[in-house]
Structures are given as structure tokens and as C-alpha cells.
């Protein structure tokens, strides 16, 4: 059982997320559990405020540390010690390796920031800070959902067919090859003949070449990190048209 705690001033965002689809099924069958908790419940002033003006001035509001940490501590009092993660664009980039690493945790608490920022002293109470990419969202909620999905699909039993070790490692650090289903012809585009040949060795070779060519065209940064960067293979798959 993998348990997620989410600290968010918008717990209602997570209702459809945890209700439908594969995640909803995983929760219904007891493989995954979730608790959303609003820091507003732990605000001590009469207006139940979770934010305040920044010291030093400047625009916007900053989330106060007290209500957030109280919510985290409340989740841990209920469900035990957790891996505490803050979602922030200033975090370290979240990758598939992080998802694999975190999938063996029993309890993960994700803190979603909102407004212009979050009091720096929250950081000291976290285990790690993660960003889902070099862009700024309105808050950490959709980032938390992305992280939860990545981790939950690695929990044994959540997906119908178990994920192979190759898939688990993000296809060896390469982008996936293209996929096709029926019809054979769609708007002037045809399914590559090799995929209908029945020659499994040829199909595997074609897919491998497509993976490499696509990675080279779209994500050359991944090729340098690739575990077995066979230079000949990369050169051999050079194409004129970016895929
Ligand atoms: N909050 C706002 N933007 C974010 C991002 N890119 N990743 C994680 N948390 C965020």
C-alpha cells in the first residue's frame, strides 16, 4: 500500500483525480490511499489566512509556514512518518528515476505552494523539493498530480500488465518508437510495411532505429546520458526530416 498525503488550499481539485480511471481503481482496491488536507484548517487568526505580505516588500503574497507545517504534521500523526516533498519551480527536476526511487516509500506527503511563493523556512522541514519542468504553474497542485501519477503506476498491481524493467527505466533513456494500430491507411499516411511483415527481428531493429532517430531529433540531451550510446547506431539513424 502506497499512501499519499497532499497539503493544498484546493483539496477539491483532487476529487476527480483520485476518483476516476486507473488511480480510482487502485484506491478502491486498497493499493493506493490518499488524504488531502488544507492548511487553512490550521490557520490561527480570525480570517483563517494562509498567506501574508513579503518581508522586504515587492508584489504578491507569501504562504505562511505555520499552517503548512501543521498540516504536514497532522498527516504524519494520522499515517506515520513520511517522505516530505515540496512542489516548486525552484526544485530539482523530477525524473523517472525519482519516480522509481519514491515508489518504494510507504507514505509521501506533497506540499503544494500557491500565490507568489512560500516562506523559505518550510524548506528546512522538507526531505526534498521537486520541479516538474522549467515553467511556472499557478500552483503546485497539477505538479503534485503529475508526480503522484508517475509513482502510482509503478506500484505493483496498479497497472493491468506489469511494467517491464526496460519501460521502468524510461526506455533506456531514449524516447519511445512510434506506435500504429488499424486502419492501415489514415488520411494518406500508411502503417510502415515492416510492422506488418511478421519479422520480429526486423521489427525490433526498426523500432530501435526510430527510438534513436527520434531522440536525436527531439532530445539530443538524452543521448549523452544514454547508458550505451553506440555512436555508429546514432549516425546510422540520421534522418533529413526531424521526426
Ligand atoms: N509550482 C509552480 N510551478 C511548478 C513547477 N514547474 N513544478 C513544480 N511545482 C510548481
Amino acid at each position: 500500500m502506497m499512501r499519499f498525503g497532499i497539503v493544498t488550499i484546493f483539496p477539491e481539485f483532487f476529487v476527480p483525480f483520485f476518483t476516476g480511471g486507473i488511480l480510482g481503481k487502485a484506491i478502491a482496491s486498497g493499493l493506493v490511499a490518499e488524504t488531502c488536507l488544507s492548511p487553512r484548517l490550521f490557520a490561527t487568526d480570525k480570517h483563517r489566512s494562509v498567506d501574508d505580505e513579503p518581508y522586504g516588500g515587492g508584489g504578491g503574497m507569501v504562504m505562511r509556514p505555520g499552517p503548512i507545517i501543521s498540516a504536514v504534521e497532522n498527516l504524519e500523526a494520522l499515517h506515520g512518518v513520511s517522505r516530505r516533498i515540496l512542489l516548486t519551480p525552484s526544485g530539482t527536476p523530477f525524473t523517472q528515476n525519482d519516480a522509481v526511487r519514491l515508489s518504494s516509500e510507504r507514505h509521501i506527503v506533497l506540499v503544494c505552494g500557491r500565490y507568489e511563493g512560500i516562506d523559505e523556512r518550510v524548506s528546512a522541514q522538507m526531505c526534498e523539493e521537486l520541479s516538474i519542468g522549467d515553467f511556472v504553474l499557478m500552483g503546485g497542485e497539477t505538479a503534485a498530480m503529475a508526480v503522484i501519477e508517475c509513482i502510482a503506476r509503478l506500484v505493483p498491481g496498479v497497472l493491468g500488465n506489469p511494467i517491464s524493467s526496460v519501460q521502468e527505466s524510461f526506455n533506456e533513456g531514449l524516447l519511445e518508437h512510434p506506435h500504429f494500430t488499424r486502419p492501415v491507411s489514415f488520411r494518406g499516411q500508411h502503417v510502415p510495411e515492416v510492422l506488418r511483415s511478421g519479422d520480429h527481428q526486423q521489427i525490433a531493429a526498426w523500432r530501435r532505429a526510430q527510438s534513436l532517430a527520434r531522440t536525436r531529433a527531439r532530445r539530443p540531451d538524452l543521448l549523452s546520458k544514454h547508458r550505451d550510446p553506440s555512436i555508429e547506431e546514432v549516425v546510422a539513424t540520421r534522418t533529413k526530416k526531424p521526426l
Side-chain angles (χ1 to χ4, degrees):
M1 147 83 76
M2 160 74 78
R3 179 172 283 282
F4 295 102
I6 300 104
V7 175
T8 170
I9 59 167
F10 297 116
E12 68 274 15
F13 284 13
F14 290 85
V15 173
F17 177 69
F18 283 123
T19 305
I22 294 167
L23 206 42
K25 239 176 105 179
I27 288 168
S29 64
L31 291 168
V32 172
E34 58 88 15
T35 310
C36 293
L37 200 52
S38 174
R40 211 173 284 287
L41 298 171
F42 302 92
T44 48
D45 64 310
K46 68 173 182 204
H47 298 295
R48 295 218 161 269
S49 68
V50 291
D51 62 335
D52 205 339
E53 290 158 0
Y55 274 110
M61 297 290 270
V62 176
M63 288 188 85
R64 296 163 56 209
I68 290 173
I69 299 307
S70 293
V72 172
E73 287 172 348
N74 194 283
L75 286 169
E76 290 190 348
L78 281 170
H79 301 300
V81 64
S82 75
R83 186 84 191 160
R84 299 175 175 186
I85 301 174
L86 176 66
L87 284 314
T88 165
S90 325
T92 59
F94 176 70
T95 68
Q96 190 65 23
N97 285 342
D98 295 308
V100 171
R101 169 174 63 80
L102 293 168
S103 68
S104 51
E105 295 286 341
R106 290 180 59 233
H107 187 199
I108 298 172
V109 167
L110 301 119
V111 174
C112 308
R114 276 267 152 180
Y115 306 116
E116 272 64 33
I118 197 158
D119 189 287
E120 181 60 25
R121 291 163 292 183
V122 167
S123 291
Q125 308 299 318
M126 296 291 119
C127 302
E128 57 189 299
E129 300 181 34
L130 295 175
S131 162
I132 63 158
D134 292 337
F135 41 79
V136 182
L137 301 163
M138 290 181 184
E141 281 77 10
T142 50
M145 289 182 203
V147 168
I148 290 165
E149 270 208 30
C150 290
I151 297 169
R153 66 186 286 284
L154 300 176
V155 172
V158 168
L159 296 188
N161 46 328
I163 310 160
S164 73
S165 55
V166 177
Q167 276 265 305
E168 244 170 66
S169 60
F170 194 53
N171 197 24
E172 287 178 82
L174 298 175
L175 300 186
E176 278 234 298
H177 58 76
H179 301 272
F180 294 90
T181 186
R182 280 175 289 202
V184 165
S185 180
F186 179 74
R187 306 214 175 176
Q189 286 191 289
H190 306 283
V191 175
E193 205 52 58
V194 60
L195 297 179
R196 306 175 59 210
S197 68
D199 184 335
H200 295 290
Q201 219 175 323
Q202 281 246 70
I203 291 168
W206 181 87
R207 285 178 169 166
R208 175 88 187 156
Q210 288 286 318
S211 260
L212 282 162
R214 188 169 262 197
T215 307
R216 185 179 167 278
R218 296 180 183 179
R219 293 293 307 278
D221 59 304
L222 291 180
L223 280 182
S224 44
K225 294 178 202 154
H226 185 225
R227 272 193 229 94
D228 176 30
S230 161
I231 297 303
E232 294 95 293
E233 229 181 334
V234 175
V235 171
T237 54
R238 277 186 188 162
T239 52
K240 286 175 218 121
K241 183 171 124 241
L243 292 166

